[in-house]
Amino acid sequence: MMSSLKQPVVHFHGSDAFRPQSSVPSRRFSVLPPLPALNTRWSSSVVSLSKPLFVSKVESFSPLGTLKRSSSTGDAGDNDHVPQKRDLIICRAYEADKSIPIDDSQARSEAARRVKIGVYFATWWTLNVIFNIYNKKVLNAYPFPWLTSTLSLAAGSLIMLISWALRIAETPKTDLDFWKALFPVAVAHTIGHVAATVSMSKVAVSFTHIIKSGEPAFSVLVSRFLLGETFPVPVYLSLIPIIGGCALAAVTELNFNMVGFMGAMISNLAFVFRNIFSKRGMKGKSVSGMNYYACLSMMSLLILTPFAIAVEGPQVWALGWQKAVSEIGPQLIWWMAAQSVFYHLYNQVSYMSLDEISPLTFSVGNTMKRISVIVSSIIIFHTPVQPVNALGAAIAILGTFLYSQAKQ
Protein backbone atom coordinates (compact mmCIF):
# COMPACT_ATOMS: atom_id res chain seq x y z
CA MET A 1 0.00 0.00 0.00
CA MET A 2 1.09 3.57 -0.50
CA SER A 3 0.78 4.65 3.12
CA SER A 4 -0.01 3.38 6.58
CA LEU A 5 -2.26 4.61 9.35
CA LYS A 6 -0.46 5.10 12.67
CA GLN A 7 -2.82 3.39 15.09
CA PRO A 8 -2.75 0.26 17.28
CA VAL A 9 -1.33 -2.24 14.83
CA VAL A 10 -3.17 -5.17 13.32
CA HIS A 11 -1.25 -6.65 10.37
CA PHE A 12 -2.66 -8.27 7.27
CA HIS A 13 -1.42 -8.81 3.74
CA GLY A 14 -2.45 -6.52 0.89
CA SER A 15 -4.49 -9.25 -0.79
CA ASP A 16 -6.52 -9.70 2.38
CA ALA A 17 -7.90 -6.18 2.05
CA PHE A 18 -10.31 -7.40 -0.61
CA ARG A 19 -11.67 -10.41 1.26
CA PRO A 20 -15.01 -9.89 2.95
CA GLN A 21 -14.63 -9.84 6.72
CA SER A 22 -17.40 -10.08 9.29
CA SER A 23 -16.31 -6.82 10.92
CA VAL A 24 -16.73 -4.84 7.72
CA PRO A 25 -20.20 -4.19 6.27
CA SER A 26 -20.31 -6.06 2.97
CA ARG A 27 -22.57 -3.48 1.36
CA ARG A 28 -19.72 -0.95 1.30
CA PHE A 29 -17.35 -3.17 -0.81
CA SER A 30 -17.14 -3.31 -4.59
CA VAL A 31 -16.14 -6.42 -6.46
CA LEU A 32 -12.45 -5.98 -7.29
CA PRO A 33 -10.06 -8.11 -9.37
CA PRO A 34 -7.81 -10.32 -7.28
CA LEU A 35 -4.18 -9.35 -6.97
CA PRO A 36 -1.63 -11.64 -8.61
CA ALA A 37 0.02 -14.08 -6.24
CA LEU A 38 3.53 -13.09 -5.23
CA ASN A 39 6.37 -15.27 -4.07
CA THR A 40 6.66 -15.44 -0.32
CA ARG A 41 10.24 -14.27 -0.42
CA TRP A 42 8.96 -10.82 -1.49
CA SER A 43 7.75 -8.58 1.37
CA SER A 44 3.98 -8.10 1.43
CA SER A 45 2.28 -4.75 1.82
CA VAL A 46 1.17 -4.12 5.38
CA VAL A 47 -1.43 -1.71 6.70
CA SER A 48 -1.70 -0.80 10.38
CA LEU A 49 -5.22 -0.12 11.50
CA SER A 50 -7.60 -0.53 14.40
CA LYS A 51 -10.91 -0.22 12.50
CA PRO A 52 -12.36 -1.77 9.32
CA LEU A 53 -11.53 -0.11 6.02
CA PHE A 54 -13.96 0.85 3.26
CA VAL A 55 -12.68 0.89 -0.30
CA SER A 56 -13.21 4.34 -1.83
CA LYS A 57 -11.12 4.33 -5.01
CA VAL A 58 -9.03 1.92 -7.07
CA GLU A 59 -6.46 3.20 -9.56
CA SER A 60 -4.47 1.26 -12.13
CA PHE A 61 -1.14 2.69 -13.26
CA SER A 62 1.35 1.86 -16.01
CA PRO A 63 2.85 -1.63 -16.13
CA LEU A 64 5.56 -2.24 -13.60
CA GLY A 65 8.29 -4.85 -13.76
CA THR A 66 7.92 -7.77 -11.33
CA LEU A 67 8.45 -11.47 -11.20
CA LYS A 68 5.82 -13.90 -12.31
CA ARG A 69 5.97 -17.65 -12.15
CA SER A 70 6.05 -19.06 -15.68
CA SER A 71 6.98 -22.23 -17.54
CA SER A 72 9.58 -21.50 -20.25
CA THR A 73 9.89 -25.07 -21.47
CA GLY A 74 6.25 -26.00 -21.41
CA ASP A 75 6.72 -28.58 -18.64
CA ALA A 76 4.31 -28.23 -15.75
CA GLY A 77 7.04 -28.91 -13.21
CA ASP A 78 9.44 -26.18 -14.35
CA ASN A 79 9.51 -23.36 -11.72
CA ASP A 80 12.00 -20.93 -13.31
CA HIS A 81 11.15 -17.22 -12.73
CA VAL A 82 11.03 -15.03 -15.83
CA PRO A 83 10.60 -11.21 -15.67
CA GLN A 84 7.05 -10.29 -16.64
CA LYS A 85 4.94 -7.10 -16.43
CA ARG A 86 1.77 -6.43 -14.45
CA ASP A 87 -0.28 -3.38 -13.58
CA LEU A 88 0.28 -1.59 -10.30
CA ILE A 89 -3.03 -1.26 -8.45
CA ILE A 90 -3.43 1.36 -5.74
CA CYS A 91 -6.44 1.13 -3.45
CA ARG A 92 -7.57 4.17 -1.46
CA ALA A 93 -9.55 3.43 1.68
CA TYR A 94 -10.91 5.12 4.76
CA GLU A 95 -11.91 4.00 8.24
CA ALA A 96 -15.36 2.67 8.97
CA ASP A 97 -16.33 5.54 11.28
CA LYS A 98 -15.33 8.23 8.81
CA SER A 99 -17.83 9.86 6.48
CA ILE A 100 -15.26 10.83 3.81
CA PRO A 101 -12.09 9.26 2.43
CA ILE A 102 -8.72 10.32 3.77
CA ASP A 103 -7.88 12.85 1.08
CA ASP A 104 -5.97 16.13 1.17
CA SER A 105 -8.53 17.86 -1.06
CA GLN A 106 -11.37 16.75 1.22
CA ALA A 107 -9.47 18.00 4.27
CA ARG A 108 -8.89 21.38 2.62
CA SER A 109 -12.57 21.59 1.69
CA GLU A 110 -13.63 20.83 5.27
CA ALA A 111 -11.19 23.43 6.62
CA ALA A 112 -12.61 26.03 4.22
CA ARG A 113 -16.15 25.17 5.34
CA ARG A 114 -15.20 25.64 8.99
CA VAL A 115 -13.67 29.02 8.21
CA LYS A 116 -16.84 30.01 6.36
CA ILE A 117 -19.00 29.02 9.35
CA GLY A 118 -16.71 30.98 11.66
CA VAL A 119 -17.11 34.06 9.47
CA TYR A 120 -20.90 33.60 9.50
CA PHE A 121 -20.96 33.42 13.30
CA ALA A 122 -18.66 36.40 13.81
CA THR A 123 -20.69 38.48 11.35
CA TRP A 124 -23.98 37.37 12.89
CA TRP A 125 -22.94 38.30 16.43
CA THR A 126 -21.36 41.61 15.40
CA LEU A 127 -24.39 42.74 13.40
CA ASN A 128 -26.73 41.73 16.23
CA VAL A 129 -24.77 43.71 18.80
CA ILE A 130 -24.74 46.79 16.54
CA PHE A 131 -28.48 46.49 15.91
CA ASN A 132 -29.31 46.26 19.61
CA ILE A 133 -27.19 49.30 20.40
CA TYR A 134 -28.80 51.52 17.74
CA ASN A 135 -32.25 50.12 18.43
CA LYS A 136 -31.98 51.08 22.09
CA LYS A 137 -30.64 54.55 21.19
CA VAL A 138 -33.62 55.13 18.90
CA LEU A 139 -36.16 53.87 21.44
CA ASN A 140 -34.67 56.04 24.21
CA ALA A 141 -34.97 59.15 22.05
CA TYR A 142 -38.07 58.23 20.03
CA PRO A 143 -40.16 55.70 22.03
CA PHE A 144 -42.46 54.41 19.30
CA PRO A 145 -41.78 50.65 19.05
CA TRP A 146 -44.53 49.94 16.51
CA LEU A 147 -43.10 52.43 14.02
CA THR A 148 -39.53 51.27 14.74
CA SER A 149 -40.53 47.67 14.07
CA THR A 150 -42.24 48.65 10.82
CA LEU A 151 -39.19 50.57 9.59
CA SER A 152 -36.95 47.56 10.28
CA LEU A 153 -39.08 45.31 8.08
CA ALA A 154 -39.43 48.01 5.41
CA ALA A 155 -35.66 48.47 5.16
CA GLY A 156 -35.09 44.75 4.76
CA SER A 157 -37.80 44.45 2.11
CA LEU A 158 -36.35 47.36 0.14
CA ILE A 159 -32.82 45.93 0.31
CA MET A 160 -33.93 42.57 -1.08
CA LEU A 161 -36.12 44.07 -3.82
CA ILE A 162 -33.12 46.08 -5.03
CA SER A 163 -30.89 42.99 -4.81
CA TRP A 164 -33.32 40.99 -6.94
CA ALA A 165 -33.76 43.81 -9.46
CA LEU A 166 -29.98 44.21 -9.90
CA ARG A 167 -29.50 40.42 -9.90
CA ILE A 168 -27.18 40.65 -6.90
CA ALA A 169 -29.26 37.88 -5.34
CA GLU A 170 -31.15 35.14 -7.13
CA THR A 171 -34.88 35.79 -7.32
CA PRO A 172 -36.79 33.05 -5.47
CA LYS A 173 -39.18 30.83 -7.37
CA THR A 174 -42.40 30.89 -5.37
CA ASP A 175 -46.04 30.04 -5.95
CA LEU A 176 -49.37 30.60 -4.22
CA ASP A 177 -48.89 27.55 -1.99
CA PHE A 178 -45.59 28.98 -0.75
CA TRP A 179 -47.19 32.26 0.32
CA LYS A 180 -50.11 30.43 1.95
CA ALA A 181 -47.69 28.34 3.99
CA LEU A 182 -45.66 31.44 4.86
CA PHE A 183 -48.62 33.45 6.17
CA PRO A 184 -48.91 31.89 9.67
CA VAL A 185 -45.12 32.05 9.99
CA ALA A 186 -45.23 35.76 9.15
CA VAL A 187 -48.01 36.42 11.67
CA ALA A 188 -46.01 34.82 14.46
CA HIS A 189 -42.84 36.58 13.33
CA THR A 190 -44.61 39.95 13.35
CA ILE A 191 -45.94 39.47 16.88
CA GLY A 192 -42.58 38.32 18.18
CA HIS A 193 -40.73 41.19 16.53
CA VAL A 194 -43.06 43.91 17.83
CA ALA A 195 -43.24 42.39 21.33
CA ALA A 196 -39.43 42.30 21.61
CA THR A 197 -39.19 45.93 20.46
CA VAL A 198 -41.85 46.99 22.96
CA SER A 199 -39.88 45.19 25.68
CA MET A 200 -36.64 46.98 24.79
CA SER A 201 -38.44 50.33 24.83
CA LYS A 202 -39.35 49.77 28.49
CA VAL A 203 -36.41 47.88 30.03
CA ALA A 204 -32.68 47.43 29.53
CA VAL A 205 -31.47 45.48 26.50
CA SER A 206 -29.70 43.02 28.78
CA PHE A 207 -32.90 42.25 30.71
CA THR A 208 -34.89 41.65 27.52
CA HIS A 209 -32.33 39.17 26.27
CA ILE A 210 -32.10 37.41 29.63
CA ILE A 211 -35.85 36.78 29.51
CA LYS A 212 -35.66 35.81 25.84
CA SER A 213 -33.11 33.14 26.74
CA GLY A 214 -36.08 31.31 28.27
CA GLU A 215 -37.51 30.57 24.81
CA PRO A 216 -36.59 26.83 25.01
CA ALA A 217 -38.93 26.46 28.00
CA PHE A 218 -41.82 27.78 25.93
CA SER A 219 -40.84 25.50 23.07
CA VAL A 220 -40.95 22.37 25.23
CA LEU A 221 -44.19 23.33 27.00
CA VAL A 222 -46.03 24.21 23.78
CA SER A 223 -44.79 21.08 22.00
CA ARG A 224 -45.70 18.87 24.96
CA PHE A 225 -49.17 20.16 25.85
CA LEU A 226 -50.46 21.46 22.50
CA LEU A 227 -48.76 19.13 20.04
CA GLY A 228 -48.44 16.02 22.23
CA GLU A 229 -44.69 15.63 21.65
CA THR A 230 -42.52 13.99 24.28
CA PHE A 231 -38.87 14.66 25.09
CA PRO A 232 -36.09 12.82 26.92
CA VAL A 233 -35.72 13.43 30.65
CA PRO A 234 -32.54 15.56 30.23
CA VAL A 235 -34.54 18.05 28.15
CA TYR A 236 -37.05 18.55 30.96
CA LEU A 237 -34.25 18.83 33.52
CA SER A 238 -32.53 21.54 31.45
CA LEU A 239 -35.66 23.71 31.88
CA ILE A 240 -35.01 24.02 35.62
CA PRO A 241 -31.98 26.33 35.31
CA ILE A 242 -33.64 28.23 32.45
CA ILE A 243 -36.82 29.02 34.38
CA GLY A 244 -34.96 29.51 37.67
CA GLY A 245 -32.35 31.80 36.15
CA CYS A 246 -34.94 33.95 34.37
CA ALA A 247 -37.01 34.23 37.55
CA LEU A 248 -33.96 35.21 39.61
CA ALA A 249 -32.94 37.83 37.06
CA ALA A 250 -36.47 39.28 36.91
CA VAL A 251 -36.88 39.50 40.69
CA THR A 252 -33.52 41.25 41.15
CA GLU A 253 -33.79 43.60 38.13
CA LEU A 254 -33.33 47.17 39.36
CA ASN A 255 -35.38 48.75 36.57
CA PHE A 256 -38.10 46.12 36.33
CA ASN A 257 -41.12 47.02 34.20
CA MET A 258 -44.10 44.72 33.74
CA VAL A 259 -44.76 45.84 30.15
CA GLY A 260 -41.14 45.16 29.26
CA PHE A 261 -41.22 41.77 30.99
CA MET A 262 -44.46 40.70 29.30
CA GLY A 263 -43.19 41.91 25.93
CA ALA A 264 -40.19 39.59 26.18
CA MET A 265 -42.39 36.68 27.30
CA ILE A 266 -44.87 37.21 24.43
CA SER A 267 -41.96 37.40 22.02
CA ASN A 268 -40.71 34.02 23.25
CA LEU A 269 -44.11 32.43 22.75
CA ALA A 270 -44.58 33.97 19.30
CA PHE A 271 -41.20 32.82 18.04
CA VAL A 272 -41.92 29.29 19.26
CA PHE A 273 -45.07 29.22 17.12
CA ARG A 274 -43.11 30.75 14.24
CA ASN A 275 -40.68 27.83 14.37
CA ILE A 276 -43.50 25.29 14.59
CA PHE A 277 -45.37 26.78 11.63
CA SER A 278 -42.15 27.02 9.65
CA LYS A 279 -41.24 23.37 10.20
CA ARG A 280 -44.72 22.11 9.36
CA GLY A 281 -45.70 24.37 6.50
CA MET A 282 -42.41 25.01 4.73
CA LYS A 283 -41.23 21.43 4.26
CA GLY A 284 -40.22 20.76 0.68
CA LYS A 285 -40.07 24.47 -0.22
CA SER A 286 -36.81 24.95 -2.11
CA VAL A 287 -35.98 28.55 -1.14
CA SER A 288 -32.59 29.61 0.21
CA GLY A 289 -32.29 30.96 3.75
CA MET A 290 -31.64 34.50 2.55
CA ASN A 291 -34.65 34.58 0.22
CA TYR A 292 -36.85 32.85 2.78
CA TYR A 293 -36.21 35.61 5.30
CA ALA A 294 -36.73 38.25 2.61
CA CYS A 295 -40.18 36.87 1.77
CA LEU A 296 -40.95 36.61 5.48
CA SER A 297 -40.02 40.27 6.02
CA MET A 298 -42.22 41.45 3.14
CA MET A 299 -45.28 39.58 4.34
CA SER A 300 -44.70 40.71 7.94
CA LEU A 301 -44.45 44.31 6.72
CA LEU A 302 -47.85 44.03 5.04
CA ILE A 303 -49.35 42.59 8.24
CA LEU A 304 -47.74 45.07 10.64
CA THR A 305 -48.23 48.40 8.82
CA PRO A 306 -52.00 48.85 9.41
CA PHE A 307 -51.66 47.86 13.07
CA ALA A 308 -48.78 50.31 13.61
CA ILE A 309 -50.88 53.11 12.13
CA ALA A 310 -53.86 52.15 14.32
CA VAL A 311 -51.91 51.81 17.58
CA GLU A 312 -49.62 54.87 17.30
CA GLY A 313 -50.55 56.84 14.17
CA PRO A 314 -48.91 59.56 12.06
CA GLN A 315 -49.95 62.44 14.34
CA VAL A 316 -48.27 60.92 17.37
CA TRP A 317 -45.21 60.08 15.30
CA ALA A 318 -44.93 63.68 14.05
CA LEU A 319 -45.12 65.20 17.54
CA GLY A 320 -42.62 62.72 18.88
CA TRP A 321 -40.28 63.37 15.96
CA GLN A 322 -40.17 67.11 16.58
CA LYS A 323 -39.33 66.59 20.23
CA ALA A 324 -36.67 63.95 19.51
CA VAL A 325 -34.92 66.02 16.81
CA SER A 326 -34.87 69.07 19.09
CA GLU A 327 -33.13 67.04 21.78
CA ILE A 328 -30.91 64.70 19.74
CA GLY A 329 -30.45 66.49 16.44
CA PRO A 330 -30.24 65.17 12.88
CA GLN A 331 -28.18 62.17 13.97
CA LEU A 332 -31.47 60.55 14.99
CA ILE A 333 -32.04 59.91 11.27
CA TRP A 334 -28.75 57.99 11.10
CA TRP A 335 -29.65 55.99 14.20
CA MET A 336 -33.01 54.94 12.73
CA ALA A 337 -31.47 54.03 9.38
CA ALA A 338 -28.71 52.02 11.09
CA GLN A 339 -31.04 50.05 13.36
CA SER A 340 -33.33 49.24 10.41
CA VAL A 341 -30.54 48.06 8.11
CA PHE A 342 -28.64 46.11 10.75
CA TYR A 343 -31.82 44.38 11.88
CA HIS A 344 -32.28 42.94 8.41
CA LEU A 345 -28.60 42.09 7.94
CA TYR A 346 -28.18 40.15 11.18
CA ASN A 347 -31.34 38.14 10.54
CA GLN A 348 -30.33 37.50 6.95
CA VAL A 349 -26.92 36.18 8.00
CA SER A 350 -28.49 33.96 10.66
CA TYR A 351 -30.83 32.39 8.10
CA MET A 352 -27.96 31.99 5.65
CA SER A 353 -25.93 30.18 8.31
CA LEU A 354 -28.76 27.67 8.70
CA ASP A 355 -27.93 26.47 5.17
CA GLU A 356 -24.42 25.57 6.32
CA ILE A 357 -24.72 24.23 9.88
CA SER A 358 -26.78 21.80 11.93
CA PRO A 359 -29.62 22.96 14.23
CA LEU A 360 -27.46 22.06 17.26
CA THR A 361 -24.60 24.27 16.11
CA PHE A 362 -27.08 27.06 15.38
CA SER A 363 -28.55 26.75 18.90
CA VAL A 364 -25.12 26.98 20.49
CA GLY A 365 -24.33 29.99 18.29
CA ASN A 366 -27.60 31.65 19.30
CA THR A 367 -26.72 31.16 22.99
CA MET A 368 -23.31 32.76 22.47
CA LYS A 369 -24.99 35.61 20.58
CA ARG A 370 -27.16 36.43 23.59
CA ILE A 371 -24.08 36.50 25.82
CA SER A 372 -22.35 38.96 23.50
CA VAL A 373 -25.43 41.22 23.36
CA ILE A 374 -25.96 41.18 27.14
CA VAL A 375 -22.33 41.93 27.96
CA SER A 376 -21.90 44.63 25.31
CA SER A 377 -25.15 46.41 26.21
CA ILE A 378 -24.23 46.46 29.90
CA ILE A 379 -20.86 48.02 29.04
CA ILE A 380 -22.13 50.58 26.50
CA PHE A 381 -25.24 51.73 28.37
CA HIS A 382 -23.65 51.42 31.84
CA THR A 383 -26.53 49.25 32.99
CA PRO A 384 -26.40 48.70 36.78
CA VAL A 385 -26.25 44.99 37.54
CA GLN A 386 -26.38 43.37 40.95
CA PRO A 387 -24.34 40.18 41.55
CA VAL A 388 -27.53 38.17 42.11
CA ASN A 389 -28.97 39.51 38.86
CA ALA A 390 -25.81 38.51 36.97
CA LEU A 391 -25.98 35.06 38.58
CA GLY A 392 -29.56 34.61 37.38
CA ALA A 393 -28.56 35.58 33.85
CA ALA A 394 -25.64 33.13 33.89
CA ILE A 395 -27.85 30.28 35.15
CA ALA A 396 -30.50 30.95 32.49
CA ILE A 397 -27.95 31.04 29.67
CA LEU A 398 -26.25 27.88 30.97
CA GLY A 399 -29.66 26.17 31.00
CA THR A 400 -30.19 27.24 27.38
CA PHE A 401 -26.87 25.66 26.42
CA LEU A 402 -27.72 22.43 28.28
CA TYR A 403 -31.09 22.36 26.53
CA SER A 404 -29.47 22.60 23.10
CA GLN A 405 -27.23 19.66 23.99
CA ALA A 406 -30.00 17.50 25.49
CA LYS A 407 -32.39 18.23 22.61
CA GLN A 408 -30.06 16.43 20.22
Side-chain angles (χ1 to χ4, degrees):
M1 303 297 284
M2 298 299 293
S3 61
S4 63
L5 306 175
K6 296 180 180 181
Q7 301 182 16
V9 180
V10 177
H11 298 290
F12 64 87
H13 295 287
S15 60
D16 292 337
F18 303 100
R19 298 176 186 172
Q21 301 292 334
S22 59
S23 61
V24 182
S26 59
R27 61 184 177 85
R28 302 295 294 269
F29 280 92
S30 301
V31 178
L32 300 176
L35 293 176
L38 300 178
N39 191 284
T40 56
R41 68 180 180 178
W42 288 81
S43 58
S44 300
S45 300
V46 175
V47 175
S48 302
L49 72 158
S50 60
K51 298 171 184 175
L53 293 179
F54 290 152
V55 175
S56 65
K57 189 175 183 181
V58 177
E59 297 176 352
S60 179
F61 290 87
S62 59
L64 189 68
T66 185
L67 293 177
K68 183 176 181 182
R69 184 168 295 177
S70 174
S71 174
S72 60
T73 62
D75 295 337
D78 193 343
N79 291 331
D80 291 338
H81 290 85
V82 180
Q84 300 288 336
K85 292 182 178 293
R86 70 175 180 87
D87 288 341
L88 174 65
I89 298 176
I90 295 179
C91 174
R92 300 183 184 275
Y94 60 99
E95 294 177 359
D97 65 341
K98 302 290 185 182
S99 59
I100 58 174
I102 302 172
D103 194 330
D104 288 343
S105 61
Q106 293 283 359
R108 287 194 297 269
S109 177
E110 178 63 19
R113 191 183 74 87
R114 290 180 180 274
V115 171
K116 183 179 180 181
I117 293 173
V119 171
Y120 270 137
F121 272 14
T123 306
W124 176 22
W125 298 341
T126 302
L127 293 173
N128 190 266
V129 169
I130 295 173
F131 158 72
N132 278 277
I133 292 171
Y134 279 109
N135 190 49
K136 186 60 178 176
K137 283 178 174 287
V138 170
L139 292 172
N140 286 341
Y142 190 62
F144 296 98
W146 288 79
L147 175 60
T148 303
S149 301
T150 305
L151 293 176
S152 300
L153 297 173
S157 301
L158 180 62
I159 290 172
M160 290 309 301
L161 287 174
I162 294 174
S163 299
W164 291 337
L166 298 179
R167 299 187 181 278
I168 299 174
E170 183 181 358
T171 305
K173 295 179 175 60
T174 61
D175 52 21
L176 183 59
D177 290 337
F178 172 84
W179 292 102
K180 286 181 179 179
L182 187 65
F183 180 75
V185 182
V187 171
H189 178 74
T190 304
I191 295 173
H193 174 43
V194 173
T197 308
V198 169
S199 175
M200 279 189 275
S201 69
K202 299 295 183 181
V203 296
V205 175
S206 56
F207 180 69
T208 297
H209 279 273
I210 291 170
I211 301 304
K212 282 179 66 63
S213 67
E215 183 177 325
F218 286 86
S219 179
V220 171
L221 294 176
V222 169
S223 299
R224 177 67 184 90
F225 293 106
L226 295 185
L227 304 179
E229 296 182 10
T230 57
F231 300 92
V233 174
V235 172
Y236 293 110
L237 294 178
S238 69
L239 301 184
I240 296 175
I242 294 176
I243 297 174
C246 288
L248 183 61
V251 170
T252 58
E253 174 65 22
L254 295 176
N255 299 313
F256 180 84
N257 180 280
M258 182 57 70
V259 175
F261 175 74
M262 291 304 300
M265 297 288 280
I266 293 172
S267 177
N268 282 339
L269 186 61
F271 284 143
V272 166
F273 278 104
R274 179 192 66 179
N275 296 338
I276 292 174
F277 293 146
S278 181
K279 288 178 182 178
R280 290 192 167 191
M282 303 308 296
K283 283 184 178 180
K285 309 297 182 183
S286 56
V287 177
S288 67
M290 180 176 65
N291 283 333
Y292 176 81
Y293 181 71
C295 295
L296 182 62
S297 295
M298 293 175 187
M299 181 164 281
S300 293
L301 175 62
L302 295 176
I303 296 171
L304 177 58
T305 300
F307 287 96
I309 294 174
V311 173
E312 294 174 347
Q315 292 182 346
V316 177
W317 294 337
L319 292 175
W321 179 259
Q322 293 176 359
K323 180 181 178 182
V325 171
S326 64
E327 295 177 354
I328 304 298
Q331 63 180 340
L332 178 61
I333 300 175
W334 158 248
W335 290 358
M336 297 184 72
Q339 74 89 23
S340 300
V341 171
F342 282 113
Y343 172 79
H344 173 78
L345 291 179
Y346 100 75
N347 276 288
Q348 178 177 296
V349 172
S350 71
Y351 273 84
M352 290 171 63
S353 67
L354 275 173
D355 292 337
E356 303 289 337
I357 60 179
S358 66
L360 174 59
T361 305
F362 184 85
S363 296
V364 174
N366 197 42
T367 302
M368 299 304 295
K369 178 206 74 175
R370 293 210 185 281
I371 295 175
S372 63
V373 171
I374 291 171
V375 173
S376 62
S377 65
I378 289 174
I379 295 173
I380 292 173
F381 294 108
H382 306 286
T383 305
V385 179
Q386 295 181 345
V388 179
N389 186 262
L391 177 62
I395 292 174
I397 292 173
L398 175 62
T400 303
F401 175 77
L402 295 176
Y403 167 83
S404 67
Q405 300 295 310
K407 190 74 166 14
Q408 299 300 316

